[in-house]
């Protein structure tokens, strides 16, 4: 048997390696040991090279022994690294710079943005009444934002919606794309692809080319509602909106409907609740009127129904749309809509 390599030597190396690896703690120590044993000039490769000096009869057995040892050490290194990943992540130098007496860094745990919170509250109020939540594109076609909603080109009611147009012309020289000015386009999109009955809620972001002030933002959120079926009447609209208002603003709310004009509904209304701050006596929030407007609504216009292929002789429906920030401002007493998107943590942390 060769002097260079014998079973005892392999046993001794095995023992040393195991004890050194198990004592090692830092990333540097482990990687140094790996180089020492398994590196190109390390102990194990040197032993493997020395096999050629061993008697031919013993070569096979030593070869096997050394390969087993090599694999075992690989495994040990692997285990060691996984065992203590976090610790190993720091080099010795980094560790020596750690001052464990310093107070820990507090992790900032985020909360829901007030808009998201109120979108959820609004949806939760309608879900028990059988509404389903759907979302639509923020960049919309003129066809859905206006035309299918009974707002033809050059109709004056387009002025109600100060529109950001997308600077892209089609082959006919038209600009068909815009940033949606309301969530109502989803009424047409849903009806186009669904047979009645339909009962959907559409939360989402909308855009208006407007100067900003305490009650106007150039982008904000709306929640749209639409219900279409046989025999739906204005009484269904009233009941649904009443239920919503009482869920969000308190069970003793009163509700008021007044005529208003929206091209896609007939009749159209604006819906108000009695002021929950002054109980209807008149204060700053309700502009001394005792009433607070919370949404636009109405019975879906027969033209809208036929434009999506529904027969208005058979089907009828109601629709409503409300501004989410407005609801949030009322609920939480927020006085300036610009606070929502100015990323001031002093404001956001209150929610
Ligand atoms: N889309 C309207 C707006 O942004 C709000 C609205 C009014 C939606 C009446 C409706 C509705 O569905 O029936 O001003």
């Amino acid at each position: 048997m060769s002097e260079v390599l014998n079973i005892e030597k392999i046993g001794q190396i095995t023992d040393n390696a195991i004890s050194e690896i198990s004592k090692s703690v830092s990333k540097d120590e482990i990687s140094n040991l790996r180089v020492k044993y398994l590196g190109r000039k390390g102990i194990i490769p040197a032993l493997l090279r020395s096999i050629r000096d061993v008697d031919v009869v013993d070569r096979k057995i030593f070869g096997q022994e050394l390969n087993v040892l090599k694999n075992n050490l690989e495994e040990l290194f692997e285990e060691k690294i996984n065992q203590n990943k976090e610790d190993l992540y720091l080099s010795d130098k980094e560790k020596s710079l750690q001052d464990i007496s310093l107070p820990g860094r507090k992790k900032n745990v985020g909360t829901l943005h007030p808009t998201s919170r109120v979108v959820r509250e609004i949806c939760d109020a309608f879900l028990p009444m059988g509404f389903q939540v759907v979302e639509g594109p923020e960049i919309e076609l003129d066809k859905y934002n206006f035309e299918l909603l009974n707002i033809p080109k050059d109709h004056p009611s387009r002025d109600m919606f100060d529109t950001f147009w997308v600077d892209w012309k089609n082959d006919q020289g038209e600009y068909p794309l815009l940033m949606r000015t309301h969530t109502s386009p989803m009424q047409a999109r849903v009806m186009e692809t669904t047979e009645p009955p339909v009962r959907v809620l559409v939360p989402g972001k909308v855009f208006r080319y407007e100067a900003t002030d305490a009650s106007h933002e150039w982008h904000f959120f709306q929640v749209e509602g639409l219900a279409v079926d046989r025999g739906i009447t204005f009484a269904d609209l009233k009941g649904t909106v009443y239920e919503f208002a009482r869920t969000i603003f308190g069970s003793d709310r009163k509700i008021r409907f007044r005529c208003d004009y929206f091209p896609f509904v007939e009749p159209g209304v604006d819906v108000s609740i009695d002021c929950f701050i002054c109980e209807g006596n008149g204060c700053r929030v309700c502009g001394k009127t005792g009433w607070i407007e919370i949404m636009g609504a109405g019975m879906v216009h027969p033209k809208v129904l036929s434009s999506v292929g529904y027969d208005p002789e058979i089907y009828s429906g109601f629709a409503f749309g409300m501004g989410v920030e407005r609801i949030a401002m009322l609920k939480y007493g927020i006085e300036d809509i610009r606070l929502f998107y100015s990323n001031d943590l002093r404001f956001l942390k209150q929610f």
Side-chain angles (χ1 to χ4, degrees):
M1 191 168 282
S2 156
E3 281 298 305
V4 190
L5 193 58
N6 56 48
I7 288 293
E8 285 86 58
K9 189 166 180 186
I10 296 183
Q12 207 184 355
I13 290 171
T14 310
D15 291 345
N16 287 349
I18 292 176
S19 111
E20 281 189 292
I21 296 171
S22 56
K23 276 191 217 138
S24 64
V25 280
S26 73
K27 186 165 82 174
D28 292 347
E29 272 177 312
I30 301 230
S31 69
N32 289 342
L33 281 175
R34 194 175 210 148
V35 172
K36 175 175 169 188
Y37 284 98
L38 299 172
R40 206 159 40 87
K41 294 185 182 158
I43 294 174
I44 306 294
L47 287 176
L48 281 165
R49 276 194 297 277
S50 71
I51 283 183
R52 60 179 166 234
D53 303 330
V54 174
D55 282 349
V56 181
V57 277
D58 294 329
R59 268 186 207 165
K60 192 171 163 201
I61 186 104
F62 277 113
Q64 280 171 352
E65 286 291 323
L66 284 176
N67 274 319
V68 169
L69 172 59
K70 186 174 160 217
N71 292 341
N72 286 347
L73 292 187
E74 297 272 15
E75 255 174 51
L76 264 182
F77 281 122
E78 199 63 28
E79 252 173 47
K80 188 78 191 176
I81 286 170
N82 287 338
Q83 231 175 41
N84 209 353
K85 257 199 171 130
E86 211 162 81
D87 205 18
L88 295 171
Y89 197 66
L90 298 172
S91 68
D92 287 349
K93 180 154 184 247
E94 285 162 337
K95 274 199 182 150
S96 71
L97 294 173
Q98 268 187 330
D99 177 355
I100 56 164
S101 66
L102 282 173
R105 264 186 219 131
K106 204 172 154 219
K107 287 218 167 76
N108 276 329
V109 182
T111 55
L112 279 184
H113 188 277
T115 305
S116 312
R117 182 181 288 258
V118 173
V119 163
R120 291 184 190 191
E121 285 176 25
I122 294 172
C123 291
D124 285 348
F126 285 105
L127 293 181
M129 292 187 265
F131 285 81
Q132 188 188 344
V133 175
V134 294
E135 288 181 310
E138 289 174 6
I139 298 198
E140 191 46 286
L141 287 161
D142 185 312
K143 173 179 156 192
Y144 291 105
N145 198 84
F146 293 130
E147 274 166 59
L148 292 178
L149 295 175
N150 193 29
I151 315 175
K153 288 210 166 57
D154 303 323
H155 193 277
S157 67
R158 284 201 180 202
D159 292 349
M160 288 167 76
F161 306 95
D162 305 280
T163 311
F164 283 113
W165 293 91
V166 175
D167 190 10
W168 178 78
K169 230 193 254 186
N170 64 14
D171 294 342
Q172 287 82 51
E174 300 159 337
Y175 291 89
L177 287 173
L178 49 84
M179 308 292 284
R180 68 173 171 196
T181 59
H182 50 175
T183 42
S184 308
M186 270 307 276
Q187 289 189 24
R189 283 184 177 273
V190 168
M191 287 192 281
E192 215 178 44
T193 52
T194 324
E195 287 298 316
V198 164
R199 239 179 284 170
V200 289
L201 274 185
V202 191
K205 193 171 182 178
V206 303
F207 308 84
R208 300 272 173 97
Y209 181 55
E210 270 184 336
T212 57
D213 62 27
S215 48
H216 294 88
E217 255 293 7
W218 63 271
H219 65 131
F220 54 97
F221 280 72
Q222 288 187 334
V223 174
E224 187 84 10
L226 173 73
V228 183
D229 202 351
R230 288 168 194 263
I232 289 202
T233 68
F234 201 94
D236 296 307
L237 168 62
K238 270 185 143 174
T240 306
V241 171
Y242 189 45
E243 182 65 25
F244 160 75
R246 288 164 49 117
T247 311
I248 297 285
F249 293 108
S251 56
D252 44 359
R253 284 291 61 75
K254 290 202 267 298
I255 199 161
R256 181 186 74 177
F257 289 78
R258 282 192 312 183
C259 285
D260 201 351
Y261 170 71
F262 301 98
F264 32 90
V265 281
E266 181 57 41
V269 290
D270 78 49
V271 181
S272 302
I273 52 173
D274 61 323
C275 183
F276 51 88
I277 293 171
C278 62
E279 301 290 340
N281 295 324
C283 68
R284 206 156 59 90
V285 172
C286 60
K288 304 226 185 318
T289 63
W291 294 96
I292 303 173
E293 280 178 31
I294 56 164
M295 65 169 80
M299 299 305 290
V300 182
H301 199 293
K303 277 197 186 159
V304 174
L305 293 174
S306 18
S307 72
V308 293
Y310 284 11
D311 184 346
E313 297 296 327
I314 302 177
Y315 295 110
S316 57
F318 64 77
F320 55 83
M322 71 191 99
V324 175
E325 291 80 358
R326 181 163 168 75
I327 304 287
M329 287 167 83
L330 292 169
K331 247 198 108 147
Y332 295 110
I334 300 164
E335 296 200 337
D336 193 324
I337 192 172
R338 291 168 295 192
L339 284 168
F340 283 85
Y341 307 112
S342 51
N343 289 335
D344 187 336
L345 288 179
R346 288 169 304 178
F347 169 70
L348 295 172
K349 276 186 172 165
Q350 297 174 49
F351 297 91

